[in-house]
Amino acid sequence: MSGGAWEAAADLVVVGSGIAGLTAALGAAELGLRVVVVTKDAADAGATTWAQGGVAVVLGDVPGDSVETHVADTITTGAGLCDAAAVASILADGPAAVTRLRARGATFDRARTGALARTREGGHSAFRVIRAGGDATGAEIERALLGAARERGVALLTGQLAVDTLRADDGGVAGLALLDDAGRAGLLRAPAVLLATGGYGQLYASTTNPATATGDGLALALRAGAPAADLEFVQFHPTVLHVPGAGGTGVRPLVTEAVRGEGGVLRDRTGARFMVGVHPLAELAPRDVVAAAITRRLAETGAECVWLDATGVEDVARRFPTVTASCRAAGIDPVREPIPVTPAAHYACGGVLTDAAGRTPVRGLYAAGEVARTGLHGANRLASNSLLEGLVVGARAAHAVAAELAVPRSLPSGAAPARVLAVADRPVVQRAMSAGAGIGRDAAGLAAASDAVEAATGPGTAGDRADVEDAALTLLAAAVLAAAGTRTETRGCHVRTDHPERDDAWQRASLIVTLDNAGRPVVSTNLPAVAA
Ligand code: SIN
């Protein structure tokens, strides 16, 4: 015990029990490392469980499709900001990663022919997305990985929020300070910490993300000195269920893009299909294009929502059981009537800057999954690439950790540093971000959002879970607003109404966010080298 806190040690602490975290934990355990997975809620409460569409992967069984085509679709969708080497390497490792996942017990849907069933989503030029349970892919993956982790004896601590990193004399990370549901502190000492905490959809008033998505891992990494990149690229999913008159805020049920992949079409209040003519792929354009077109149509018509007409989709209720259940719970029958939808915050394309094996520039600190920015997504993520990225980078990170642990380090035994947090009220942050940093931003709106968050910010304590989460959101609001204010162009899912065109001067230039000595976000354009 140290200062009243419980204390334990491991070789690797993984924060988060979604696809990236569990894949890394299983890989590390198989390499003989002592692994502890910590997660702040129930093990399956994160975004992985909620993923509907599937896993985008080329397995060689779809005539005409190839890894090269998947790479090309990813880079086109990423709007000039993908790291081409990261894209090629991550997607090339996809088939092996999916084979490992299936060996760990995940079962994917089959077509009548017996081959793996495929669907298509926005930006994909082929039917290459594999799925489970119709539209319950994430739940099946989470079930299989949690089962495999339990079978392997991976230690899983639930109800433990990561509050801060412990630091070593070499400036690197040496473990984590934790806070449990009862407010008890704990210290987990480890030469390696892997963040797999997901995204920060809770920055916005309306999101598809679960309540866990408060950006804790990204905030913790920034405070540990790690740079983040591409934070201005918040992806809005075009179609989440909208119940007219119900306010449309909070955690909203997703209506997977695969509904459009299987023939669903978007209509405005007059019944007209408005995506035809906007993009050659119409409803299956990359989702930044669809979300922006819906937003324009809402402004033009003054309607609260548009409609996704899935009445022509074959056997829609059986094919999309999750979507059908959400619709029916809201009194809408997708078999007979169009589904009211609006866009909502869905995915953070940016995150902790890592290489394609999850290494950050801070020794001992790794990140994988939505919390990380490998360069795969660029300015706009291609649908269903994220589960694949979690599988590939999670597995690679396990090997990177094992290799780094071969070099001994001297780690401290002291307590975690005391920290006072800057905390704004969550609804204030969410309203400010939704008003000023949603789809379509401009300088005045971004500045107003920044002022609103700053005016609402006061001191909080690291001993209170709500304060820790709200401090993460407060910091990330400032970071996203700073990056979005700096990028004076429109690219991917960053739409600046005062700079509506793409500007070649910004081509390939990622914005890097670090913290200054006062803990405030600073934006630069220099990509620091990631430690080998
Ligand atoms: C969806 O099913 O539409 C979401 C898939 C994704 O976000 O990749």
Side-chain angles (χ1 to χ4, degrees):
M1 297 283 282
S2 162
W6 63 265
E7 199 168 325
D11 296 322
L12 169 65
V13 182
V14 175
V15 191
S17 50
I19 189 167
L22 291 176
T23 301
L26 278 162
E30 283 161 13
L31 291 168
L33 304 186
R34 286 174 308 149
V35 186
V36 178
V37 178
V38 296
T39 186
K40 64 182 179 178
D41 286 307
D44 60 357
T48 294
T49 304
W50 291 21
Q52 293 186 3
V55 183
V57 65
V58 175
L59 296 172
D61 56 342
V62 174
D65 198 14
S66 65
V67 173
E68 290 71 32
T69 317
H70 190 182
V71 166
D73 290 346
T74 300
I75 288 177
T76 302
T77 300
L81 267 197
C82 293
D83 175 333
V87 175
S89 110
I90 291 170
L91 298 187
D93 270 4
V98 168
T99 300
R100 269 194 309 273
L101 177 64
R102 295 175 75 189
R104 285 176 175 147
T107 309
F108 290 92
D109 293 351
R110 292 192 176 273
R112 286 193 194 97
T113 58
L116 281 182
R118 292 304 206 292
T119 193
R120 188 167 160 206
E121 295 183 65
H124 287 277
S125 59
F127 280 76
R128 67 166 68 97
V129 175
I130 59 172
R131 63 166 196 261
D135 57 5
T137 311
E140 168 60 9
I141 292 173
E142 186 71 27
R143 181 203 64 74
L145 289 178
L146 272 175
R150 287 188 177 119
E151 205 167 291
R152 180 93 216 171
V154 172
L156 182 59
L157 294 182
T158 57
Q160 295 285 345
L161 174 66
V163 175
D164 216 338
T165 50
L166 306 178
R167 308 309 298 270
D169 296 341
D170 61 9
V173 162
L176 280 179
L178 300 165
L179 187 67
D180 76 9
D181 289 341
R184 276 184 303 262
L187 296 180
L188 255 178
R189 301 193 184 283
V193 170
L194 174 96
L195 302 172
T197 47
Y200 45 87
Q202 289 295 329
L203 262 187
Y204 289 85
S206 171
T207 179
T208 62
N209 290 190
T212 54
T214 50
D216 316 330
L218 176 52
L220 187 135
L222 282 164
R223 290 196 206 101
D230 295 339
L231 299 186
E232 64 275 36
F233 299 108
V234 176
Q235 186 172 73
F236 290 79
H237 196 286
T239 56
V240 306
L241 180 61
H242 177 84
V243 183
T249 57
V251 174
R252 310 295 312 155
L254 183 68
V255 181
T256 175
E257 210 156 69
V259 173
R260 281 173 277 136
E262 313 243 336
V265 294
L266 286 165
R267 301 188 189 280
D268 67 13
R269 70 190 321 169
T270 70
R273 276 184 71 188
F274 56 89
M275 284 309 299
V276 178
V278 171
H279 189 281
L281 292 171
E283 280 86 356
L284 283 178
R287 62 176 62 149
D288 59 325
V289 175
V290 182
I294 292 174
T295 305
R296 279 196 306 275
R297 188 48 58 123
L298 294 179
E300 283 158 13
T301 60
E304 269 185 32
C305 60
V306 295
W307 285 264
L308 175 55
D309 185 351
T311 54
V313 174
E314 191 188 335
D315 211 356
V316 65
R318 191 195 53 81
R319 170 66 184 84
F320 297 105
T322 310
V323 168
T324 301
S326 311
C327 288
R328 287 184 174 159
I332 297 148
D333 184 356
V335 176
R336 293 188 183 80
E337 58 192 320
I339 307 166
V341 291
T342 53
H346 180 60
Y347 193 87
C349 298
V352 185
L353 187 67
T354 70
D355 68 7
R359 299 181 191 93
T360 78
V362 175
R363 186 147 188 213
L365 185 66
Y366 302 78
E370 187 174 356
V371 68
R373 179 273 190 198
T374 58
L376 175 66
H377 308 312
N380 186 36
R381 177 181 61 101
L382 182 66
S384 289
N385 266 358
S386 42
L387 291 178
L388 190 73
E389 184 187 43
L391 285 175
V392 171
V393 180
R396 289 178 178 179
H399 286 276
V401 169
E404 185 170 274
L405 291 191
V407 183
R409 290 166 72 199
S410 99
L411 301 178
S413 58
R419 204 188 279 279
V420 176
L421 302 169
V423 179
D425 211 27
R426 190 178 304 190
V428 173
V429 173
Q430 292 175 334
R431 276 197 300 273
M433 292 300 288
S434 300
I439 304 171
R441 304 121 179 232
D442 61 19
L446 291 164
S450 205
D451 290 347
V453 173
E454 214 172 304
T457 301
T461 62
D464 181 89
R465 171 172 170 160
D467 272 9
V468 174
E469 291 187 334
D470 288 348
L473 290 172
T474 305
L475 176 63
L476 297 182
V480 170
L481 290 167
T486 305
R487 184 174 287 280
T488 49
E489 66 157 353
T490 288
R491 181 181 295 277
C493 44
H494 173 65
V495 178
R496 284 283 302 249
T497 51
D498 51 349
H499 295 278
E501 304 300 330
R502 202 187 275 196
D503 179 350
D504 284 347
W506 286 102
Q507 182 84 359
R508 308 190 60 74
S510 274
L511 292 175
I512 308 304
V513 176
T514 50
L515 301 188
D516 66 13
N517 289 337
R520 284 183 302 249
V522 177
V523 180
S524 68
T525 53
N526 300 328
L527 276 167
V530 169

